[in-house]
mmCIF file of all heavy atoms in Angstrom:
data_model
loop_
_atom_site.group_PDB
_atom_site.id
_atom_site.type_symbol
_atom_site.label_atom_id
_atom_site.label_comp_id
_atom_site.label_asym_id
_atom_site.label_seq_id
_atom_site.Cartn_x
_atom_site.Cartn_y
_atom_site.Cartn_z
ATOM 1 N N ARG O 257 19.788 75.957 203.549
ATOM 2 C CA ARG O 257 20.685 75.718 202.407
ATOM 3 C C ARG O 257 21.402 74.390 202.566
ATOM 4 O O ARG O 257 21.483 73.584 201.640
ATOM 5 C CB ARG O 257 21.707 76.843 202.248
ATOM 6 C CG ARG O 257 22.558 76.659 200.982
ATOM 7 C CD ARG O 257 23.999 77.150 201.129
ATOM 8 N NE ARG O 257 24.663 76.760 202.334
ATOM 9 C CZ ARG O 257 25.356 75.614 202.500
ATOM 10 N NH1 ARG O 257 25.422 74.719 201.548
ATOM 11 N NH2 ARG O 257 25.967 75.371 203.627
ATOM 12 N N ALA O 258 21.911 74.113 203.759
ATOM 13 C CA ALA O 258 22.586 72.846 204.019
ATOM 14 C C ALA O 258 21.631 71.664 203.853
ATOM 15 O O ALA O 258 21.999 70.632 203.291
ATOM 16 C CB ALA O 258 23.193 72.858 205.419
ATOM 17 N N ALA O 259 20.401 71.830 204.319
ATOM 18 C CA ALA O 259 19.402 70.759 204.197
ATOM 19 C C ALA O 259 19.095 70.479 202.722
ATOM 20 O O ALA O 259 18.992 69.315 202.317
ATOM 21 C CB ALA O 259 18.131 71.134 204.952
ATOM 22 N N MET O 260 18.961 71.529 201.922
ATOM 23 C CA MET O 260 18.686 71.320 200.502
ATOM 24 C C MET O 260 19.860 70.623 199.819
ATOM 25 O O MET O 260 19.661 69.748 198.975
ATOM 26 C CB MET O 260 18.347 72.640 199.825
ATOM 27 C CG MET O 260 16.988 73.173 200.245
ATOM 28 S SD MET O 260 16.358 74.560 199.284
ATOM 29 C CE MET O 260 17.614 75.801 199.526
ATOM 30 N N ASN O 261 21.087 70.986 200.196
ATOM 31 C CA ASN O 261 22.251 70.290 199.636
ATOM 32 C C ASN O 261 22.189 68.796 199.937
ATOM 33 O O ASN O 261 22.464 67.962 199.077
ATOM 34 C CB ASN O 261 23.551 70.871 200.193
ATOM 35 C CG ASN O 261 23.917 72.194 199.568
ATOM 36 O OD1 ASN O 261 23.306 72.634 198.608
ATOM 37 N ND2 ASN O 261 24.915 72.836 200.141
ATOM 38 N N GLU O 262 21.827 68.456 201.181
ATOM 39 C CA GLU O 262 21.758 67.045 201.539
ATOM 40 C C GLU O 262 20.606 66.349 200.812
ATOM 41 O O GLU O 262 20.752 65.218 200.352
ATOM 42 C CB GLU O 262 21.620 66.858 203.044
ATOM 43 C CG GLU O 262 21.680 65.392 203.427
ATOM 44 C CD GLU O 262 21.823 65.129 204.908
ATOM 45 O OE1 GLU O 262 21.937 66.092 205.696
ATOM 46 O OE2 GLU O 262 21.806 63.941 205.277
ATOM 47 N N ILE O 263 19.461 66.999 200.704
ATOM 48 C CA ILE O 263 18.333 66.400 199.975
ATOM 49 C C ILE O 263 18.756 66.066 198.548
ATOM 50 O O ILE O 263 18.451 64.989 198.033
ATOM 51 C CB ILE O 263 17.108 67.343 199.989
ATOM 52 C CG1 ILE O 263 16.498 67.386 201.389
ATOM 53 C CG2 ILE O 263 16.067 66.886 198.963
ATOM 54 C CD1 ILE O 263 15.450 68.469 201.575
ATOM 55 N N PHE O 264 19.493 66.961 197.894
ATOM 56 C CA PHE O 264 19.921 66.719 196.525
ATOM 57 C C PHE O 264 20.937 65.574 196.440
ATOM 58 O O PHE O 264 21.100 64.988 195.369
ATOM 59 C CB PHE O 264 20.457 68.003 195.882
ATOM 60 C CG PHE O 264 19.371 68.838 195.272
ATOM 61 C CD1 PHE O 264 18.635 69.724 196.054
ATOM 62 C CD2 PHE O 264 19.051 68.719 193.922
ATOM 63 C CE1 PHE O 264 17.613 70.477 195.506
ATOM 64 C CE2 PHE O 264 18.027 69.478 193.369
ATOM 65 C CZ PHE O 264 17.301 70.361 194.160
ATOM 66 N N ASP O 265 21.585 65.224 197.532
ATOM 67 C CA ASP O 265 22.430 64.027 197.541
ATOM 68 C C ASP O 265 21.582 62.762 197.477
ATOM 69 O O ASP O 265 22.054 61.713 197.051
ATOM 70 C CB ASP O 265 23.324 63.989 198.787
ATOM 71 C CG ASP O 265 24.524 64.914 198.654
ATOM 72 O OD1 ASP O 265 24.757 65.443 197.542
ATOM 73 O OD2 ASP O 265 25.217 65.113 199.667
ATOM 74 N N PHE O 266 20.323 62.846 197.903
ATOM 75 C CA PHE O 266 19.399 61.712 197.843
ATOM 76 C C PHE O 266 18.688 61.630 196.490
ATOM 77 O O PHE O 266 18.135 60.594 196.142
ATOM 78 C CB PHE O 266 18.346 61.814 198.959
ATOM 79 C CG PHE O 266 18.849 61.394 200.302
ATOM 80 C CD1 PHE O 266 19.463 62.322 201.142
ATOM 81 C CD2 PHE O 266 18.704 60.090 200.747
ATOM 82 C CE1 PHE O 266 19.925 61.938 202.397
ATOM 83 C CE2 PHE O 266 19.163 59.700 201.986
ATOM 84 C CZ PHE O 266 19.775 60.624 202.824
ATOM 85 N N GLY O 267 18.624 62.728 195.755
ATOM 86 C CA GLY O 267 17.943 62.758 194.470
ATOM 87 C C GLY O 267 17.523 64.168 194.127
ATOM 88 O O GLY O 267 17.813 65.116 194.862
ATOM 89 N N ARG O 268 16.812 64.309 193.013
ATOM 90 C CA ARG O 268 16.390 65.636 192.545
ATOM 91 C C ARG O 268 14.883 65.784 192.714
ATOM 92 O O ARG O 268 14.108 65.245 191.927
ATOM 93 C CB ARG O 268 16.768 65.822 191.074
ATOM 94 C CG ARG O 268 16.509 67.227 190.587
ATOM 95 C CD ARG O 268 16.868 67.377 189.109
ATOM 96 N NE ARG O 268 16.729 68.749 188.683
ATOM 97 C CZ ARG O 268 15.581 69.331 188.360
ATOM 98 N NH1 ARG O 268 14.455 68.664 188.435
ATOM 99 N NH2 ARG O 268 15.547 70.581 187.959
ATOM 100 N N PRO O 269 14.457 66.533 193.733
ATOM 101 C CA PRO O 269 13.021 66.731 193.934
ATOM 102 C C PRO O 269 12.423 67.634 192.854
ATOM 103 O O PRO O 269 13.128 68.444 192.251
ATOM 104 C CB PRO O 269 12.933 67.392 195.301
ATOM 105 C CG PRO O 269 14.256 68.024 195.515
ATOM 106 C CD PRO O 269 15.258 67.218 194.745
ATOM 107 N N ARG O 270 11.116 67.492 192.641
ATOM 108 C CA ARG O 270 10.395 68.383 191.721
ATOM 109 C C ARG O 270 10.293 69.769 192.339
ATOM 110 O O ARG O 270 10.481 70.779 191.678
ATOM 111 C CB ARG O 270 8.999 67.834 191.441
ATOM 112 C CG ARG O 270 8.141 68.743 190.582
ATOM 113 C CD ARG O 270 6.750 68.197 190.352
ATOM 114 N NE ARG O 270 6.667 66.851 190.898
ATOM 115 C CZ ARG O 270 5.775 65.953 190.579
ATOM 116 N NH1 ARG O 270 4.853 66.246 189.725
ATOM 117 N NH2 ARG O 270 5.770 64.764 191.122
ATOM 118 N N SER O 271 9.964 69.822 193.645
ATOM 119 C CA SER O 271 9.842 71.106 194.334
ATOM 120 C C SER O 271 10.104 70.898 195.824
ATOM 121 O O SER O 271 10.013 69.779 196.325
ATOM 122 C CB SER O 271 8.443 71.705 194.142
ATOM 123 O OG SER O 271 7.469 70.945 194.838
ATOM 124 N N ILE O 272 10.425 72.002 196.485
ATOM 125 C CA ILE O 272 10.597 71.999 197.940
ATOM 126 C C ILE O 272 9.762 73.144 198.493
ATOM 127 O O ILE O 272 9.935 74.300 198.092
ATOM 128 C CB ILE O 272 12.063 72.162 198.359
ATOM 129 C CG1 ILE O 272 12.903 70.981 197.859
ATOM 130 C CG2 ILE O 272 12.174 72.294 199.883
ATOM 131 C CD1 ILE O 272 14.390 71.099 198.146
ATOM 132 N N VAL O 273 8.851 72.806 199.399
ATOM 133 C CA VAL O 273 8.052 73.790 200.121
ATOM 134 C C VAL O 273 8.687 73.916 201.502
ATOM 135 O O VAL O 273 8.852 72.926 202.209
ATOM 136 C CB VAL O 273 6.584 73.328 200.244
ATOM 137 C CG1 VAL O 273 5.790 74.284 201.119
ATOM 138 C CG2 VAL O 273 5.949 73.192 198.869
ATOM 139 N N LEU O 274 9.057 75.127 201.881
ATOM 140 C CA LEU O 274 9.729 75.356 203.157
ATOM 141 C C LEU O 274 8.730 75.815 204.209
ATOM 142 O O LEU O 274 7.975 76.767 203.994
ATOM 143 C CB LEU O 274 10.838 76.391 203.006
ATOM 144 C CG LEU O 274 11.622 76.743 204.267
ATOM 145 C CD1 LEU O 274 12.272 75.507 204.895
ATOM 146 C CD2 LEU O 274 12.674 77.803 203.952
ATOM 147 N N VAL O 275 8.747 75.125 205.353
ATOM 148 C CA VAL O 275 7.877 75.436 206.477
ATOM 149 C C VAL O 275 8.762 75.694 207.694
ATOM 150 O O VAL O 275 9.688 74.932 207.967
ATOM 151 C CB VAL O 275 6.921 74.253 206.774
ATOM 152 C CG1 VAL O 275 6.078 74.531 207.995
ATOM 153 C CG2 VAL O 275 6.052 73.956 205.566
ATOM 154 N N SER O 276 8.472 76.766 208.428
ATOM 155 C CA SER O 276 9.241 77.086 209.626
ATOM 156 C C SER O 276 8.297 77.516 210.746
ATOM 157 O O SER O 276 7.397 78.326 210.524
ATOM 158 C CB SER O 276 10.241 78.203 209.329
ATOM 159 O OG SER O 276 11.046 78.472 210.454
ATOM 160 N N LEU O 277 8.513 76.963 211.930
ATOM 161 C CA LEU O 277 7.710 77.349 213.085
ATOM 162 C C LEU O 277 7.897 78.833 213.393
ATOM 163 O O LEU O 277 6.943 79.560 213.612
ATOM 164 C CB LEU O 277 8.094 76.496 214.304
ATOM 165 C CG LEU O 277 7.335 76.770 215.595
ATOM 166 C CD1 LEU O 277 5.877 76.342 215.463
ATOM 167 C CD2 LEU O 277 8.001 76.036 216.762
ATOM 168 N N ILE O 278 9.152 79.276 213.394
ATOM 169 C CA ILE O 278 9.502 80.661 213.723
ATOM 170 C C ILE O 278 10.345 81.247 212.598
ATOM 171 O O ILE O 278 11.287 80.616 212.124
ATOM 172 C CB ILE O 278 10.311 80.744 215.045
ATOM 173 C CG1 ILE O 278 9.522 80.159 216.211
ATOM 174 C CG2 ILE O 278 10.770 82.172 215.317
ATOM 175 C CD1 ILE O 278 8.284 80.934 216.596
ATOM 176 N N GLU O 279 10.003 82.451 212.189
ATOM 177 C CA GLU O 279 10.840 83.206 211.252
ATOM 178 C C GLU O 279 11.290 84.467 211.970
ATOM 179 O O GLU O 279 10.478 85.176 212.546
ATOM 180 C CB GLU O 279 10.067 83.578 209.996
ATOM 181 C CG GLU O 279 10.918 84.366 209.014
ATOM 182 C CD GLU O 279 10.161 84.788 207.759
ATOM 183 O OE1 GLU O 279 8.922 84.854 207.784
ATOM 184 O OE2 GLU O 279 10.840 85.075 206.767
ATOM 185 N N ARG O 280 12.575 84.707 211.939
ATOM 186 C CA ARG O 280 13.100 85.923 212.555
ATOM 187 C C ARG O 280 14.015 86.632 211.590
ATOM 188 O O ARG O 280 14.404 86.068 210.578
ATOM 189 C CB ARG O 280 13.808 85.606 213.873
ATOM 190 C CG ARG O 280 15.025 84.727 213.740
ATOM 191 C CD ARG O 280 15.979 84.885 214.903
ATOM 192 N NE ARG O 280 16.387 86.261 214.993
ATOM 193 C CZ ARG O 280 16.762 86.867 216.108
ATOM 194 N NH1 ARG O 280 16.812 86.201 217.233
ATOM 195 N NH2 ARG O 280 17.111 88.138 216.130
ATOM 196 N N SER O 281 14.354 87.852 211.888
ATOM 197 C CA SER O 281 15.208 88.633 211.002
ATOM 198 C C SER O 281 16.639 88.120 211.075
ATOM 199 O O SER O 281 17.000 87.364 211.959
ATOM 200 C CB SER O 281 15.162 90.109 211.397
ATOM 201 O OG SER O 281 15.639 90.251 212.726
ATOM 202 N N GLY O 282 17.429 88.545 210.118
ATOM 203 C CA GLY O 282 18.843 88.179 210.096
ATOM 204 C C GLY O 282 19.220 87.319 208.910
ATOM 205 O O GLY O 282 20.250 86.649 208.923
ATOM 206 N N ARG O 283 18.381 87.317 207.852
ATOM 207 C CA ARG O 283 18.651 86.464 206.701
ATOM 208 C C ARG O 283 19.960 86.867 206.043
ATOM 209 O O ARG O 283 20.218 88.044 205.801
ATOM 210 C CB ARG O 283 17.502 86.574 205.696
ATOM 211 C CG ARG O 283 17.390 85.404 204.765
ATOM 212 C CD ARG O 283 16.709 84.195 205.374
ATOM 213 N NE ARG O 283 15.287 84.422 205.492
ATOM 214 C CZ ARG O 283 14.677 84.543 206.683
ATOM 215 N NH1 ARG O 283 15.337 84.456 207.805
ATOM 216 N NH2 ARG O 283 13.392 84.740 206.740
ATOM 217 N N GLN O 284 20.791 85.877 205.748
ATOM 218 C CA GLN O 284 22.045 86.080 205.035
ATOM 219 C C GLN O 284 21.982 85.495 203.627
ATOM 220 O O GLN O 284 22.826 85.809 202.792
ATOM 221 C CB GLN O 284 23.201 85.440 205.807
ATOM 222 C CG GLN O 284 23.407 86.056 207.172
ATOM 223 C CD GLN O 284 24.388 85.277 208.034
ATOM 224 O OE1 GLN O 284 24.825 84.186 207.686
ATOM 225 N NE2 GLN O 284 24.731 85.849 209.172
ATOM 226 N N LEU O 285 21.013 84.615 203.397
ATOM 227 C CA LEU O 285 20.812 84.003 202.090
ATOM 228 C C LEU O 285 19.369 84.247 201.648
ATOM 229 O O LEU O 285 18.477 84.354 202.483
ATOM 230 C CB LEU O 285 21.080 82.488 202.173
ATOM 231 C CG LEU O 285 22.482 82.075 202.612
ATOM 232 C CD1 LEU O 285 22.562 80.563 202.778
ATOM 233 C CD2 LEU O 285 23.520 82.556 201.614
ATOM 234 N N PRO O 286 19.112 84.296 200.343
ATOM 235 C CA PRO O 286 17.757 84.585 199.861
ATOM 236 C C PRO O 286 16.844 83.347 199.922
ATOM 237 O O PRO O 286 16.387 82.841 198.913
ATOM 238 C CB PRO O 286 18.000 85.054 198.426
ATOM 239 C CG PRO O 286 19.227 84.306 198.005
ATOM 240 C CD PRO O 286 20.082 84.212 199.242
ATOM 241 N N ILE O 287 16.601 82.885 201.130
ATOM 242 C CA ILE O 287 15.768 81.713 201.369
ATOM 243 C C ILE O 287 14.614 82.149 202.259
ATOM 244 O O ILE O 287 14.835 82.668 203.350
ATOM 245 C CB ILE O 287 16.584 80.589 202.045
ATOM 246 C CG1 ILE O 287 17.686 80.108 201.084
ATOM 247 C CG2 ILE O 287 15.683 79.449 202.481
ATOM 248 C CD1 ILE O 287 18.644 79.113 201.698
ATOM 249 N N GLN O 288 13.388 81.956 201.760
ATOM 250 C CA GLN O 288 12.194 82.403 202.480
ATOM 251 C C GLN O 288 11.239 81.237 202.671
ATOM 252 O O GLN O 288 10.993 80.493 201.728
ATOM 253 C CB GLN O 288 11.483 83.511 201.709
ATOM 254 C CG GLN O 288 12.345 84.709 201.390
ATOM 255 C CD GLN O 288 12.881 85.400 202.626
ATOM 256 O OE1 GLN O 288 12.197 85.522 203.627
ATOM 257 N NE2 GLN O 288 14.122 85.832 202.573
ATOM 258 N N PRO O 289 10.672 81.070 203.849
ATOM 259 C CA PRO O 289 9.689 80.000 204.056
ATOM 260 C C PRO O 289 8.369 80.306 203.349
ATOM 261 O O PRO O 289 7.977 81.465 203.204
ATOM 262 C CB PRO O 289 9.511 79.958 205.572
ATOM 263 C CG PRO O 289 9.978 81.278 206.063
ATOM 264 C CD PRO O 289 10.969 81.804 205.069
ATOM 265 N N ASP O 290 7.700 79.230 202.918
ATOM 266 C CA ASP O 290 6.384 79.340 202.292
ATOM 267 C C ASP O 290 5.288 79.390 203.340
ATOM 268 O O ASP O 290 4.247 80.008 203.120
ATOM 269 C CB ASP O 290 6.150 78.145 201.361
ATOM 270 C CG ASP O 290 7.173 78.092 200.244
ATOM 271 O OD1 ASP O 290 7.132 78.984 199.377
ATOM 272 O OD2 ASP O 290 8.026 77.176 200.245
#
């Protein structure tokens, strides 16, 4: 979420594809890697 906020300070992307090496439980926000 913080990274997306900063990206939007640089401009408005068409889309963001999220990639994560490791996904673990404990999500507090509805953000899921692609």
Side-chain angles (χ1 to χ4, degrees):
R257 185 214 46 88
M260 289 191 300
N261 284 352
E262 185 169 357
I263 289 169
F264 274 84
D265 282 351
F266 282 88
R268 187 181 185 280
R270 176 182 353 200
S271 69
I272 297 176
V273 174
L274 179 57
V275 176
S276 183
L277 180 68
I278 301 293
E279 180 182 22
R280 63 157 302 152
S281 61
R283 202 80 74 248
Q284 298 170 352
L285 300 175
I287 295 174
Q288 304 299 322
D290 299 292

